[in-house]
Amino acid sequence: MFFSVAVMGLLINLCRLNQLFVPRGFPVLSIAAYSVPSIPDSLSKSAKIQSSIKLYLKRIHAHESMIETEREDFERGRKYLAQIMGEDPNTFNQEKIDQSIAYLFPSGLFSQKARPKLKPPEEIFPKEKGMIFIAVFLFPSHKELQCDSSGRPLHSLFYTRQPHFYSVMHDAAYQLENLKEMWDGMYINKYLNPLKNHKELVLVSTEWFSKTQLERAIDESVTDDQVTLLFACLQHYFLLQYDQWLTLMNRIASHPLAYCAEKFIFRYRARQVQVVDAEKYPNPEFDPVTQQKFITAYGQKRRCFAEVCVRIPGSGEMNIDGKNLLEAFPLLGNREQIMFPLHVTGTLGKVDVKAKLSGEGTSSPANAMRLAISRCLASLLPDEQGRQRLLVSGLLTQDDRFAERKKPGQKKARKKPIWKAR
């Protein structure tokens, strides 16, 4: 009898805490009690913004106080349930709470809504949509207002409508002014030569962020139709926001001391992807006898040349001057070089390869054959499976390096005889 009374009391307390069942005579705390009247439409735009901030702060404080009260009730119910189950309240986690409720659960309640719950108040009482202040009048991106307890925005450039973008602009302007001060200081100090420690900033194979990449980096939209008024040299320059940022970054990169701001510059530069011309790889031919597509390509490494014909579909056969792969290349590293483009494109064992090699060496013939196979696969396969994967892996780039010749009067290409004074 005592156990059944305790179980019923526990269920009533759980229902009170989670508002699933409201017994008569028990007051229940609700978020609706903290509702604030809406903003009247007769107010001006600035008055609406101020009223929205006040409304946001009131709801935040009310929600925090309600969550704190519910947290105390949750801890009290958790300890009470742990005592009933004979568990330690300090180690009684949410998993044990759910298992205990399932054990004490009445067998007649099958509906999910009728089952009692004991969960943290943050899960039971999430923030309402109305409690999140949206600066509709100021911010078209609909971001949540980040402010302190007094209502002041945390970001110093909050009211510029694009705080992250203008933070980048301020940082760029600071970098440019810093470079100018360093350059002027070199001229003022007679012991410093402005060209003594001069270095060139290498920007090859990189480019500035595009508009989409810049928006992704700063997590804001950069408008290209909004005209910004700039005053410079007593003239009005109407530039787009992205063009304004691009002009400022180019001024930093063109400064003689741009290498001092190298980290800041490369923060907003992306690597250029070398696009191979599609006309370089001809369309494959079709063999009506074997019902296969085939193409022939050439590869070179130093003084070794490879002529390769690849047929698809195939059984994975490799014929290299009448030999198989193991006989032609006994070394494992050379065989891996040849199979690498097939592995990248997923055609290992699905194509037939026939190659003719000329030249001497161990690794050079394998590299020449790898380049020829990559060019064949770039023509046979779709771009997503073939050309793009091979480009990223660097398999379509020919290695033009040669061994440097021996110089007359020297022992090798660079090695010189030892000079002795006596």
Side-chain angles (χ1 to χ4, degrees), residues 1-11 80-81 83-86 100 103-105:
M1 182 66 181
F2 173 75
F3 180 76
S4 60
V5 172
V7 171
M8 291 302 297
L10 172 64
L11 294 178
Y80 179 57
L81 182 60
Q83 292 178 0
I84 291 180
M85 300 302 297
S100 302
Y103 175 74
L104 301 173
F105 189 73

Side-chain angles (χ1 to χ4, degrees), residues 216-287:
R216 192 182 300 113
I218 64 178
D219 194 19
E220 281 182 354
S221 60
V222 179
T223 57
D224 50 0
D225 55 349
Q226 178 183 358
V227 179
T228 305
L229 184 61
L230 298 179
F231 296 94
C233 301
L234 302 179
Q235 294 180 357
H236 299 286
Y237 291 91
F238 293 91
L239 298 177
L240 305 179
Q241 282 188 337
Y242 176 72
D243 295 338
Q244 178 185 0
W245 171 81
L246 195 61
T247 303
L248 184 57
M249 297 302 292
N250 285 328
R251 290 181 61 187
I252 297 176
S254 60
H255 197 274
L257 299 179
Y259 63 90
C260 298
E262 183 177 1
K263 292 184 179 180
F264 178 78
I265 291 174
F266 281 98
R267 191 187 305 171
Y268 302 100
R269 292 189 69 88
R271 291 188 175 274
Q272 291 180 346
V273 180
Q274 297 181 357
V275 180
V276 181
D277 190 6
E279 297 180 357
K280 186 177 180 180
Y281 304 102
N283 296 327
E285 301 179 8
F286 182 75
D287 189 357

Side-chain angles (χ1 to χ4, degrees), residues 390-414:
L390 294 171
L391 276 175
V392 173
S393 303
L395 296 174
L396 293 176
T397 304
Q398 181 175 347
D399 190 0
D400 296 330
R401 295 177 299 175
F402 276 83
E404 191 175 351
R405 65 177 293 272
K406 178 185 176 301
K407 308 299 188 302
Q410 299 181 9
K411 294 186 177 182
K412 293 183 179 180
R414 298 293 179 92

Side-chain angles (χ1 to χ4, degrees), residues 11 15 18 20 101 105-106 109-118:
L11 294 178
C15 294
N18 295 273
L20 298 176
I101 294 177
F105 189 73
L109 299 177
F110 293 99
S111 176
Q112 293 289 342
K113 296 182 179 180
R115 297 180 182 180
K117 298 179 182 178
L118 183 60

Side-chain angles (χ1 to χ4, degrees), residues 128-145:
E128 294 181 350
K129 294 182 179 179
M131 298 180 62
I132 301 177
F133 173 75
I134 304 298
V136 180
F137 305 100
L138 283 179
F139 302 96
S141 58
H142 297 275
K143 292 187 178 180
E144 184 178 354
L145 174 62

Side-chain angles (χ1 to χ4, degrees), residues 145-176:
L145 174 62
Q146 302 291 336
C147 62
D148 55 8
S149 58
S150 62
R152 294 183 177 181
L154 299 179
H155 205 289
S156 60
L157 301 175
F158 177 78
Y159 292 105
T160 59
R161 301 181 62 182
Q162 293 170 319
H164 298 292
F165 172 75
Y166 285 105
S167 295
V168 174
M169 296 295 292
H170 281 216
D171 294 341
Y174 173 77
Q175 293 287 342
L176 183 59

Side-chain angles (χ1 to χ4, degrees), residues 336-350:
E336 290 179 348
Q337 289 291 327
I338 295 174
M339 292 186 294
F340 185 46
L342 301 175
H343 177 71
V344 168
T345 56
T347 56
L348 189 62
K350 300 179 182 179

